[in-house]
Amino acid sequence: MIPTLEEMKAGRTLAEVQGFPAELGAEVARIAAREAAAGDLAVARGILEGLVVTNPKDAIAWALLSQVVRRGGEPLLAIVFAEAAHRLAPDDRQVILVRAEAFLGVPPDAGTGGPLRRSIARTGLESLQDGGDDVARRAAALLRAMGPEP
Amino acid sequence: MNAIAASNFLPDPALELLDAGASASGLSRTRPNFLGMPQVESSESAPCLPWLPATSPPVHTWEIQPDASGGTADGYSQTAGSWSFLSDPSLSIEDKLAAFMATVQKKTDDDLTQKMNDYKAKYAAAANQDQGFFGFLSSVMDSIFPKGTILNKALGGLTSLIGDGLKTLTGPVLAGLATAIGLPSLAPAALKAGASLGKAIGDALGLGSSSSSSSSSSSTKSTTSSGSKTTSSTTTGEAGSPDERLAMLEIQRLVEKQNQMFTLVSNVLKSINDTAMGTINNIR
């Protein structure tokens, strides 16, 4: 069973039409993360693309996909996916971190917006510093690596 | 191969951070433990997953402050509004008729503009969706990186490269992207565009139409074809459809109504003038 075009226009997802539960989505994401950690980026990307097709509203799936394509050497596509995740969950700390990493993943001399990209990433990372969790520590480490604001 | 590749990525701090962040933010993600041990986190549901039970997100209460919004008169009786001239004793009947004509004209103008905007949104937008991949790409790029914003400037000179990257995606992924960025209406166009693009790429590579489409995604074809069949009879945005003709008739009706109003007021004014002139002539 697939959503009709009218259902798609209304934002209804394949997961909702097929009764695809959250636990299954989480398990698929877990498998993809494991494949990515093992270095099988193509497999991980395929799984995650399937997941975002099934539920395009899963911000974590988009964030994971952003990480995978960034590691696969497509930093610009990583920004697009990170922005999609950020649209869905603008307050999610992980998504903010992934988005900042995506912006930092583009070489500074690519295009004309290098300083702006760093500025966007810095703003996101600075919002993550408080919290005491691993995300905060990662953000703090990235900020230290970026150095003081020029 | 995996072992060699894994040495490049293990330990993966970013993914470990995902795990830690998930538990810290109350997400019910189940993430892999990279030591091979299953690691299941039981926590509240994730707010970003629409398929989860709607029990998780904390309700943020706030108090309405009517004065802060500035208020609006929409929906209330406007005794001192545009129709107040009717109860103004200082105005003559001619003045009131003129004001009546102007007010009704404004109302019909607004209605007409609204109808034309509705028509544009329904049928012109439907026509735009047929522009193919490049129209879709432009819409997506404008939505993700709106012109004039810092995001757009941050990617100055790179947008064409991003477009090239998007072209490598399959139709369903593009459709998912459109949904994710809040443009689900573009999802069907993305499906079609992705499928046609995949076919074009396959043809260019000499793979043939069947292999090219199946290599990208077989589900794309099935989704598109069956979806088109389903909606071809129900869609309301097709140019030349009965609904479009009805919308045009509605616009035509409003224009005729405007003409009738002008004729009516003109006749009333003429009869008032004739009455006055008759009285004056009788006095002479």
Side-chain angles (χ1 to χ4, degrees):
Chain A
M1 186 187 297
I2 57 172
T4 64
L5 294 188
E6 289 303 317
E7 285 176 325
M8 290 180 72
K9 284 180 185 176
R12 195 163 159 81
T13 67
L14 186 61
E16 290 168 330
V17 172
Q18 293 190 335
F20 193 88
E23 292 74 16
L24 195 52
E27 188 64 27
V28 171
R30 180 180 173 219
I31 293 169
R34 179 178 291 167
E35 292 292 340
D40 273 338
L41 295 179
V43 174
R45 179 172 176 170
I47 294 171
L48 288 169
E49 285 187 350
L51 188 56
V52 297
V53 167
T54 307
N55 180 17
K57 297 176 182 174
D58 187 344
I60 296 298
W62 284 110
L64 273 169
L65 188 56
S66 173
Q67 276 195 329
V68 167
V69 298
R70 180 167 56 82
R71 291 184 196 170
E74 297 184 76
L76 295 175
L77 209 50
I79 288 181
V80 174
F81 293 152
E83 277 302 315
H86 191 248
R87 287 283 179 91
L88 293 166
D91 298 327
D92 191 303
R93 292 168 60 80
Q94 298 173 95
V95 170
I96 294 172
L97 181 60
V98 167
R99 181 176 181 248
E101 287 179 337
F103 274 101
L104 290 176
V106 180
D109 54 351
T112 57
L116 275 176
R117 288 194 296 274
R118 285 177 69 86
S119 173
I120 292 171
R122 184 185 294 278
T123 304
L125 293 172
E126 284 174 348
S127 71
L128 298 174
Q129 284 188 105
D130 300 328
D133 54 358
D134 284 342
V135 174
R137 283 189 282 277
R138 171 78 167 172
L142 287 170
L143 280 171
R144 278 196 302 275
M146 290 173 70
E149 195 170 2
Chain B
M1 175 186 170
N2 283 356
I4 296 171
S7 65
N8 294 329
F9 295 100
L10 284 175
D12 188 336
L15 287 171
E16 289 173 1
L17 286 176
L18 280 176
D19 286 335
S23 59
S25 59
L27 300 179
S28 66
R29 280 285 178 195
T30 305
R31 296 293 184 198
N33 183 330
F34 298 117
L35 297 177
M37 297 294 290
Q39 178 184 6
V40 179
E41 297 172 5
S42 61
S43 60
E44 298 171 0
S45 57
C48 54
L49 299 176
W51 57 55
L52 286 180
T55 57
S56 57
V59 178
H60 300 284
T61 58
W62 58 285
E63 293 184 0
I64 299 174
Q65 298 179 356
D67 295 338
S69 64
T72 174
D74 289 346
Y76 290 106
S77 172
Q78 299 180 355
T79 54
S82 56
W83 295 98
S84 60
F85 63 86
L86 289 175
S87 55
D88 188 347
S90 66
L91 293 179
S92 66
I93 188 66
E94 289 85 359
D95 292 339
K96 288 182 179 178
L97 274 170
F100 174 80
M101 189 169 66
T103 305
V104 173
Q105 184 188 0
K106 184 179 182 309
K107 182 179 178 303
T108 51
D109 283 351
D110 290 345
D111 288 348
L112 199 53
T113 306
Q114 181 62 41
K115 286 289 177 190
M116 287 190 288
N117 282 333
D118 289 348
Y119 180 89
K120 178 190 168 194
K122 255 186 169 179
Y123 302 103
N128 287 338
Q129 286 180 4
D130 294 335
Q131 289 176 353
F133 182 78
F134 295 102
F136 165 78
L137 191 63
S138 173
S139 301
V140 167
M141 294 290 282
D142 285 348
S143 176
I144 300 180
F145 311 111
K147 286 173 184 167
T149 62
I150 191 171
L151 271 179
N152 188 277
K153 292 173 185 168
L155 297 169
L158 299 174
T159 47
S160 63
L161 292 175
I162 293 177
D164 291 342
L166 289 176
K167 286 177 192 171
T168 64
L169 300 177
T170 59
V173 177
L174 288 172
L177 184 61
T179 304
I181 62 173
L183 297 173
S185 60
L186 289 179
L191 274 176
K192 291 178 187 174
S196 61
L197 191 74
K199 182 178 183 303
I201 292 172
D203 291 344
L205 294 174
L207 298 175
S209 58
S210 59
S211 60
S212 64
S213 298
S214 61
S215 65
S216 58
S217 67
S218 57
S219 62
T220 307
K221 292 175 66 180
S222 62
T223 304
T224 307
S225 58
S226 57
S228 301
K229 281 176 190 171
T230 307
T231 56
S232 60
S233 59
T234 59
T235 183
T236 58
E238 290 178 3
S241 66
D243 286 331
E244 188 199 8
R245 287 196 290 275
L246 195 63
M248 291 299 287
L249 282 174
E250 183 68 15
I251 292 172
Q252 187 180 354
R253 187 187 67 80
L254 282 172
V255 173
E256 286 172 359
K257 188 178 171 187
Q258 208 171 23
N259 286 337
Q260 283 176 357
M261 191 272 301
F262 277 121
T263 307
L264 173 73
V265 175
S266 174
N267 289 341
V268 170
L269 285 172
K270 184 174 183 302
S271 63
I272 289 174
N273 182 59
D274 291 345
T275 305
M277 287 304 293
T279 306
I280 291 168
N281 289 333
N282 288 338
I283 291 172
R284 286 177 184 170

